[in-house]
Amino acid sequence: MLNKIKQKALEEHIPILMDDTLETIKEILIKEKPKKILEIGTAVGYSAICFAKILLENCKEKNILIDTIELDEIRAKEAIANISNMNLENIIKVYIGNAVELLPTFNDKYDVIFIDAAKGKYPIFLKEAIRLSHKDSIILADNILYKGYVMSDYNKHKQRTAVTHLREYIKEAKENEILETEILEVGDGLAISKIL
Ligand code: SAH
Ligand code: MG
C-alpha cells in the first residue's frame, strides 16, 4: 500500500522524500524516538506515513503524534485518505492551510520538526520551528541544497529567490548559538539542527 502511494506520487511528479534522505531520517528517528513530530509540507502523506511506520516498528512507544500541514487542499485530502487507508488516522493529523499562517497558532512543543515545503519560506519556518522546540529537539530541512544551486556561484537561474532563502536558512542555522547544525548531501540536501 505504501509503495502504491509512493509510485502514484512519483508518476504525478510530487516531490516526495528521496530514498536516501528517508534512510538518514530513519536513523535519526530510531535514535531520538520522538513522541511528537511536526511536518511542514504533507503532500499526499508519504513522508508522514513513513515516519509513523518507522516509529511503530522500531520503538516501544506507541503513543506517537504527527501534526502535518499542507497548503494544497486536493493533496491534503488525498493525504487524509491515504492515512486512513493505512489505519494511521489516530497518529497523523493533517492541517489544511498555509503553514506561514497556521504555525503561529501552534503552541505545543515537538521533538522532531521536518520542514519540506515552500523554499522561499524556509527562514520563517525555521523561526517557528525554534519556537516550537525544546532542548534536544531536532529540526530537519529537506531540499536545503536545491539541486546544487545553493552552494554554486551561479545566481541567474529562475530559482534564485528560493536559493537566497535557503542560503539564509543555512546561515541562521549555523550562526544561531542555540542550534548545532550539519548539512548532509543526501538526496536534495538535508539540514539537521539540534537545539542545544
Ligand atoms: N513531505 C512530503 C513532500 C512535500 S512536497 C513527502 O516527502 O511525502 C511539498 C509540499 O509543501 C507541497 O505539497 C506543497 O503544496 C506544500 N506547501 C508549499 N508551501 C506550503 C505552505 N506555505 N504551507 C503548507 N504547505 C505548503
Ligand atoms: Mg522535499
Side-chain angles (χ1 to χ4, degrees):
M1 189 125 64
L2 183 58
N3 208 34
K4 250 181 148 172
I5 296 169
K6 180 182 179 184
Q7 290 316 321
K8 182 167 184 286
L10 290 175
E11 276 162 28
E12 292 172 2
H13 304 289
I14 297 171
I16 57 168
L17 260 189
M18 293 166 102
D19 292 341
D20 56 347
T21 312
L22 179 59
E23 274 311 306
T24 303
I25 296 178
K26 180 177 180 177
E27 285 170 24
I28 295 170
L29 294 180
I30 292 174
K31 178 162 172 269
E32 301 289 333
K33 301 182 179 46
K35 288 184 191 152
K36 268 182 84 74
I37 299 181
L38 172 64
E39 175 180 72
I40 306 170
T42 319
V44 294
Y46 173 72
S47 50
I49 291 169
C50 288
F51 299 165
K53 281 180 66 88
I54 288 166
L55 290 173
L56 290 172
E57 284 163 16
N58 292 283
C59 304
K60 280 198 200 99
E61 178 70 48
K62 301 291 175 235
N63 210 353
I64 311 155
L65 280 173
I66 304 178
D67 286 334
T68 178
I69 307 175
E70 174 55 49
L71 177 63
D72 182 302
E73 201 175 329
I74 294 170
R75 281 192 186 173
K77 287 189 172 154
E78 189 173 333
I80 291 167
N82 286 334
I83 290 160
S84 117
N85 286 336
M86 305 280 303
N87 295 317
L88 292 171
E89 63 269 35
N90 294 329
I91 291 182
I92 307 172
K93 181 163 188 317
V94 180
Y95 291 79
I96 308 179
N98 187 340
V100 176
E101 288 155 19
L102 286 177
L103 286 169
T105 71
F106 284 33
N107 286 304
D108 286 357
K109 304 286 185 195
Y110 294 88
D111 307 310
V112 168
I113 299 176
F114 177 55
I115 301 170
D116 191 18
K119 298 171 189 73
K121 302 290 187 299
Y122 269 38
I124 299 174
F125 295 153
L126 178 58
K127 268 206 191 83
E128 284 298 312
I130 293 171
R131 184 179 67 79
L132 298 169
S133 293
H134 53 74
K135 184 181 180 310
D136 295 328
S137 290
I138 307 277
I139 301 171
L140 304 168
D142 191 29
N143 308 98
I144 201 70
L145 298 176
Y146 199 15
K147 301 174 182 168
Y149 296 143
V150 171
M151 295 301 180
S152 98
D153 299 334
Y154 184 67
N155 272 319
K156 293 207 175 72
H157 44 74
K158 66 179 194 299
Q159 289 84 6
R160 68 180 174 280
T161 314
V163 168
T164 303
H165 287 105
L166 293 172
R167 286 183 184 145
E168 201 182 304
Y169 182 106
I170 293 172
K171 187 170 186 290
E172 175 65 19
K174 293 216 156 154
E175 288 178 3
N176 190 321
E177 282 169 6
I178 73 157
L179 299 175
E180 188 178 80
T181 298
E182 53 175 337
I183 310 284
L184 300 188
E185 285 181 25
V186 289
D188 197 23
L190 181 70
I192 306 173
S193 302
K194 188 170 187 109
I195 306 272
L196 300 176

